[in-house]
């Protein structure tokens, strides 16, 4: 049997596995209403994000046999507007000597348009004699749906001296007629991003270390992504071993002559527990858009048991698409794409409402498991110690998630210790707000995405409350706080 027919057979088997459960999965009340999910079973990193022939394509790390991580496939979907997604046949399945292994597979990578041919570069992972072998590989498609693995794979078969066997997640782009690739790696306990170049996506030359940890930025850089923004360059990556910091960006300047990136600004793409492996792409409107996996590895079973949706045969989702913008101070902001506004339904508007301590502000008609909230709270003139939202509360408020701002500590906190009996943790970010606090919040069944500080701070977390826990309160502690203005929209499903 030819290699291509082995691949087709593996894809067919995977499709059959999904087909058996997808109808029952779609009935689960925990399913998200407007975040991207696989039709069933496991999902992790977004891969191969591209605006190709007028449509958005999203590939993703996928295990089509169980709601847990396993031999990696590439799931596939497309969209005309980044909100409504259509599932497509699985694009890649493990089938070759360089990607066929039950603890390996077709790991993360990226897509480019090579003169009309949709070309994806991915990491093949196998384990031989206990050693992990990671290589970079090419697959191409002329119809944007059916992919053929290149006969000359791997296109990069060994890591360079500067790297190690952790050698994965190629992100490819074109600069002045040359293809470039950044690959995540590590050496002597320091994470790094390695740079390659190629005339044709098939033959690659190692250029050197694009950037590396200074000793404080983690031991392995997963999913590096490198792109121009304004007159600068951004390197984004997901460091392993950097404590609570999960997605980092560096802003600096690129010298293609020497292959070096000199950065001066560091920041966090998101401060929540569940925002990992973000990947960016440029769309037809010239926007740099980023989508991430709504989980992180410390959530995995070898740290903690699987989440509450596993029993319903699915696990994992993608964040809302966000644009990446460069501020004058060199920092990045990540506003969600405006296309999401098509989801808005019933609208409630408030101006100069008072949040009185002991009396929560919002009436029950705002109750929903799918909401968008934009609020501007007046902090100046108030002696309050704390102000915040109670999200996804049960009628008796025993179940609740608290988003609070402490005016003394100048800290924004997301507390999910009482969210559902399963989730836990309190994550905080320091935030200088003195005059007003402006919040933009998206709630979707089991995801909460929060934006503050002009979208320079994002906080993304999962919670799994009962479907009936839909109440929303606005509360203050210590003194009255004025809501200068607030808009609340109930959101409809995009599926
Ligand atoms: C990031 C990651 C990547 C790898 C993929 C495997 O979440 O660990 O480094 O390619 O997931 O599924």
């Amino acid at each position: 049997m030819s290699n291509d027919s082995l691949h087709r057979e593996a894809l067919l088997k995977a499709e059959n596995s999904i087909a058996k459960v997808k109808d029952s999965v779609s009935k689960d009340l925990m399913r998200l209403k407007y975040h991207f999910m696989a039709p069933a079973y496991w999902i992790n990193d977004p891969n191969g994000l591209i605006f190709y022939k007028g449509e958005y394509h999203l590939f993703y790390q996928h295990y089509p046999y169980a709601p847990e991580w396993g031999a990696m496939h590439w799931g596939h979907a497309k969209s005309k507007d980044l909100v409504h997604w259509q599932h497509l046949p699985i694009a890649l399945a493990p089938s070759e000597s360089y990607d066929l292994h039950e603890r390996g597979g077709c790991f993360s990578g990226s897509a480019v348009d090579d003169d009309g041919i949709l070309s994806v570069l991915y990491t093949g992972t196998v384990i031989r004699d206990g050693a992990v072998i990671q290589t970079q590989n090419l697959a191409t498609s002329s119809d944007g749906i059916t992919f053929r693995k290149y006969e000359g794979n791997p296109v990069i078969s060994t890591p360079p001296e500067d790297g190690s066997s952790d050698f994965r997640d190629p992100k490819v782009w074109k600069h002045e007629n040359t293809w470039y690739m950044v690959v995540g790696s590590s050496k002597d306990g320091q994470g790094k991003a390695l740079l390659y170049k190629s005339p044709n996506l098939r033959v690659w030359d190692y250029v050197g270390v694009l950037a590396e940890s200074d000793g404080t930025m983690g031991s392995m850089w997963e999913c590096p992504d490198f792109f121009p923004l304004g007159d600068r360059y951004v390197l984004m990556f997901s460091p392993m071993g950097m404590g609570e910091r999960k997605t980092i960006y560096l802003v600096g300047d690129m010298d293609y002559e020497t292959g070096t990136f000199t950065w001066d600004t560091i920041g966090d793409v998101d401060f929540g527990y569940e925002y990992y492996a973000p990947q960016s792409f440029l769309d037809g409107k010239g926007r740099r858009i980023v989508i991430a996996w709504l989980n992180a590895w410390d959530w995995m079973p070898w740290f903690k048991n699987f989440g509450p949706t596993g029993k319903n045969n699915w696990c994992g989702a993608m964040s809302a698409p966000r644009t990446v913008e460069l501020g004058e101070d060199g920092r990045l902001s990540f506003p969600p794409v405006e296309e999401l506004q098509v989801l808005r339904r019933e609208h409630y508007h408030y101006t100069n409402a008072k949040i009185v301590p002991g009396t929560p502000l919002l009436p029950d008609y705002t109750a929903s498991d799918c909401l968008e909230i934009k609020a501007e709270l007046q902090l100046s003139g108030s002696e309050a110690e704390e102000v915040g939202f109670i999200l996804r509360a049960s009628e008796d408020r025993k179940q609740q998630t608290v988003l609070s701002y402490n005016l003394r500590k100048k800290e924004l906190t997301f507390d999910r210790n009482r969210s559902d009996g399963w989730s836990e943790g309190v994550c905080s970010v320091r935030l200088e707000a003195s005059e007003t606090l402006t919040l933009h919040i998206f709630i979707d069944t089991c995801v909460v995405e929060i934006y503050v500080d002009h979208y320079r701070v994002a906080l993304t977390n999962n919670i799994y409350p009962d479907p009936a826990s839909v109440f929303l309160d606005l509360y203050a502690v210590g003194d009255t706080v004025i809501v200068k203005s607030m808009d609340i929209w109930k959101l409809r499903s995009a599926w």
Side-chain angles (χ1 to χ4, degrees):
M1 205 184 282
S2 79
N3 282 6
D4 197 47
S5 36
L6 282 175
H7 189 210
R8 300 282 133 238
E9 202 175 86
L11 289 167
L12 205 62
K13 189 170 160 229
E15 287 297 341
N16 286 338
S17 167
I18 295 291
K20 279 189 201 133
V21 290
K22 74 175 194 302
D23 287 347
S24 72
V25 169
S26 70
K27 298 193 181 86
D28 178 20
L29 293 178
M30 288 273 191
R31 291 287 274 178
L32 291 155
K33 305 258 171 51
Y34 60 93
H35 284 84
F36 179 81
M37 301 161 292
Y41 294 137
W42 173 264
I43 197 170
N44 60 286
D45 315 355
N47 294 154
L49 297 177
I50 189 167
F51 186 71
Y52 174 71
K53 297 190 175 162
E55 291 178 312
Y56 295 95
H57 285 256
L58 160 63
F59 300 84
Y60 52 92
Q61 290 284 277
H62 185 34
Y63 185 57
Y65 297 103
E68 57 191 59
W69 192 89
M72 281 291 109
H73 294 57
W74 276 37
H76 187 192
K78 67 175 187 176
S79 168
K80 289 192 190 326
D81 63 0
L82 290 167
V83 179
H84 303 89
W85 292 94
Q86 180 192 343
H87 289 293
L88 294 172
I90 295 172
L92 296 178
S95 61
E96 309 300 315
S97 56
Y98 51 81
D99 63 18
L100 183 61
H101 195 282
E102 59 178 9
R103 305 304 294 163
C106 305
F107 275 24
S108 286
S110 55
V112 288
D113 180 345
D114 182 17
D115 254 337
I117 302 294
L118 185 52
S119 304
V120 302
L121 275 302
Y122 70 96
T123 300
T125 299
V126 290
I127 300 171
R128 273 192 221 118
D129 301 328
V132 175
I133 299 170
Q134 301 197 309
T135 58
Q136 314 318 322
N137 299 283
L138 171 70
T140 56
S141 169
S142 46
D143 63 2
I145 294 180
T146 313
F147 285 81
R148 249 190 115 90
K149 295 178 185 173
Y150 173 51
E151 306 77 42
N153 278 341
V155 292
I156 305 177
S157 52
T158 47
E161 278 287 298
D162 294 328
S164 66
S165 58
D166 276 316
F167 181 52
R168 57 182 176 270
D169 310 337
K171 179 77 197 307
V172 178
W173 72 101
K174 196 182 227 177
H175 175 76
E176 292 178 354
N177 281 328
T178 298
W179 294 108
Y180 285 85
M181 176 199 285
V182 63
V183 188
S185 196
S186 77
K187 177 111 189 205
D188 303 327
Q190 302 304 331
K192 47 179 81 184
L194 306 174
L195 184 66
Y196 284 82
K197 67 178 184 180
S198 167
N200 57 10
L201 299 175
R202 283 149 180 84
V203 177
W204 290 91
D205 288 326
Y206 178 57
V207 179
V209 176
L210 182 73
E212 61 192 324
S213 168
D214 58 6
T216 63
M217 294 149 75
S219 54
M220 161 68 197
W221 288 2
E222 296 196 308
C223 302
D225 188 350
F226 192 62
F227 54 88
L229 194 65
D231 56 356
R232 311 219 69 196
Y233 268 83
V234 176
L235 178 66
M236 204 166 60
F237 56 92
S238 299
M240 291 169 72
M242 200 177 168
E244 300 227 312
R245 298 180 76 177
K246 300 222 163 62
T247 46
I248 296 294
Y249 70 76
L250 306 175
V251 181
D253 298 305
M254 176 64 182
D255 182 344
Y256 280 96
E257 290 290 308
T258 58
T260 44
F261 170 63
T262 317
W263 60 272
D264 47 54
T265 306
I266 181 168
D268 295 74
V269 186
D270 194 284
F271 290 86
Y273 289 117
E274 277 116 8
Y275 189 91
Y276 197 75
Q279 188 177 87
S280 83
F281 68 103
L282 201 59
D283 84 344
K285 297 179 183 163
R287 298 178 296 181
R288 177 62 57 174
I289 295 174
V290 63
I291 295 178
W293 174 38
L294 283 177
N295 265 318
W297 291 113
D298 46 11
W299 194 82
M300 291 282 288
W302 43 89
F303 297 99
K304 202 178 168 202
N305 63 329
F306 271 115
T309 65
K311 64 178 183 309
N312 299 323
N313 281 330
W314 69 282
C315 190
M318 296 300 167
S319 71
R322 302 172 183 176
T323 54
V324 189
E325 288 166 23
L326 178 65
E328 275 173 15
D329 60 358
R331 288 174 61 200
L332 301 185
S333 57
F334 300 92
V337 296
E338 59 192 24
E339 282 89 334
L340 291 167
Q341 292 172 14
V342 301
L343 300 168
R344 291 175 178 172
R345 285 295 173 263
E346 294 94 320
H347 177 215
Y348 311 99
H349 180 69
Y350 302 79
T351 35
N352 295 322
K354 277 190 185 151
I355 322 170
V356 180
T359 317
L361 178 68
L362 289 168
D364 284 359
Y365 58 69
T366 60
S368 172
D369 63 354
C370 252
L371 288 174
E372 179 183 352
I373 305 164
K374 276 182 124 168
E376 198 182 342
L377 311 181
Q378 170 97 42
L379 302 183
S380 57
S382 173
E383 294 293 313
E385 186 181 326
E386 184 179 311
V387 61
F389 283 87
I390 310 267
L391 308 172
R392 293 299 310 272
S394 55
E395 204 160 3
D396 60 8
R397 302 308 190 254
K398 280 193 179 140
Q399 239 184 24
Q400 55 172 257
T401 298
V402 186
L403 171 66
S404 60
Y405 183 67
N406 188 302
L407 284 78
R408 304 217 176 114
K409 291 195 205 149
K410 303 221 172 279
E411 208 169 63
L412 185 79
T413 297
F414 186 91
D415 181 343
R416 61 178 182 185
N417 280 331
R418 284 193 286 159
S419 295
D420 48 44
W422 185 85
S423 303
E424 54 190 37
V426 179
C427 66
S428 306
V429 51
R430 217 190 129 66
L431 185 71
E432 281 295 332
S434 40
E435 278 291 307
T436 53
L437 175 66
T438 311
L439 296 142
H440 195 174
I441 305 168
F442 286 83
I443 300 172
D444 182 1
T445 323
C446 44
V447 174
V448 182
E449 291 177 288
I450 298 155
Y451 304 91
V452 281
D453 194 21
H454 307 284
Y455 302 97
R456 284 184 295 219
V457 170
L459 206 90
T460 304
N461 289 305
N462 295 333
I463 50 170
Y464 301 92
D466 297 341
S469 298
V470 285
F471 297 99
L472 179 69
D473 297 331
L474 201 41
Y475 74 95
V477 178
D479 193 9
T480 297
V481 173
I482 308 277
V483 180
K484 279 175 80 174
S485 92
M486 180 162 63
D487 291 288
I488 300 179
W489 292 271
K490 288 187 178 166
L491 301 181
R492 69 163 167 87
S493 172
W495 291 103

